[in-house]
Amino acid sequence: HDEALVLNREVFARRKVTLGVSHERTIMVGCHIIVGLVELEAWDEAKVASREQLPAARRLHSNDHDITLRLSMNFAVTLWRSPEATRENLLEAEAILQDVVMRRRR
């Protein structure tokens, strides 16, 4: 996982420069980075990356697009699985997951 994360970060940096932060390919690599961070239990870094990627995904697609929904779900996971999760984090994660379920049903 560590090696894949390093490679994804390199690709992400290049794509941000060449394609821009709001390009679909850039966002997809950002999503892969977040998944890798979650698998490595790097919760704080995953939260920061999610907060950076979600607005770009919303601008490019919408709140209902698959990429945006996957990023939202990953963000919720980072909130509730973190050992330092507060009650507010858990409530935010629950609200995000409820929103994702509602949007997926449409």
Side-chain angles (χ1 to χ4, degrees), residues 16-36:
K16 275 180 27 179
V17 171
T18 58
L19 301 174
V21 71
S22 293
H23 192 279
E24 185 165 2
R25 290 182 186 170
T26 308
I27 293 168
M28 285 303 300
V29 175
C31 191
H32 293 301
I33 290 170
I34 294 165
V35 169

Side-chain angles (χ1 to χ4, degrees), residues 54-100:
L54 272 166
R58 288 182 182 123
R59 278 192 305 273
L60 179 63
H61 297 294
S62 70
N63 286 332
D64 297 327
H65 193 275
D66 184 58
I67 292 171
T68 308
L69 293 173
R70 281 194 275 159
L71 281 166
S72 295
M73 287 179 8
N74 285 330
F75 181 49
V77 168
T78 66
L79 290 172
W80 70 265
R81 295 222 23 223
S82 172
E84 293 87 28
T86 64
R87 178 169 163 63
E88 290 78 24
N89 293 140
L90 298 176
L91 292 172
E92 184 179 3
E94 180 182 31
I96 291 168
L97 291 173
Q98 287 174 346
D99 183 63
V100 168

